[in-house]
Amino acid sequence: MFNFSKRISSYILLVIALLSIPLIAMQYTSEVNWTLFDFLMASFLLITALILIEITLQKFKNKTYKFTVVFLIIFLFLLLWGDLSIGIF
């Protein structure tokens, strides 16, 4: 079983890899225009969601509860991301 600190460090590497996609895209096109605030907000949202998912997976024993809570975390993350990026509401 992974150590908790190893999982967190792998999550941080995942966030860096995901955030490198818009950073690279900004070099090749003018359609992607992220500011420092965008990168900070995206990294905060991603890390928070991943840590909440990790805590959920360790706390709940029932697979139904795990699935439901993880689904809710992902849904709320995507809803908040969409609202911040294009203003759904």
Side-chain angles (χ1 to χ4, degrees):
M1 186 171 161
F2 264 28
N3 189 3
F4 185 73
S5 63
K6 285 185 180 181
R7 284 187 182 178
I8 296 299
S9 62
S10 65
Y11 291 155
I12 291 173
L13 288 175
L14 176 67
V15 169
I16 291 171
L18 286 174
L19 291 178
S20 67
I21 295 169
L23 183 64
I24 293 170
M26 285 174 43
Q27 308 303 316
Y28 293 106
T29 181
S30 62
E31 294 179 9
V32 180
N33 187 17
W34 282 30
T35 62
L36 179 62
F37 179 75
D38 295 326
F39 282 103
L40 291 175
M41 184 59 72
S43 62
F44 174 75
L45 287 174
L46 285 167
I47 290 172
T48 303
L50 288 172
I51 288 174
L52 286 174
I53 289 172
E54 179 64 31
I55 290 170
T56 300
L57 293 177
Q58 290 192 5
K59 290 288 181 186
F60 292 115
K61 301 297 180 200
N62 189 342
K63 289 186 180 185
T64 306
Y65 290 143
K66 283 183 183 182
F67 177 77
T68 305
V69 174
V70 168
F71 179 78
L72 183 64
I73 291 169
I74 292 171
F75 176 75
L76 291 174
F77 165 76
L78 291 174
L79 185 68
L80 185 58
W81 184 291
D83 187 40
L84 289 174
S85 64
I86 58 174
I88 293 174
F89 297 111

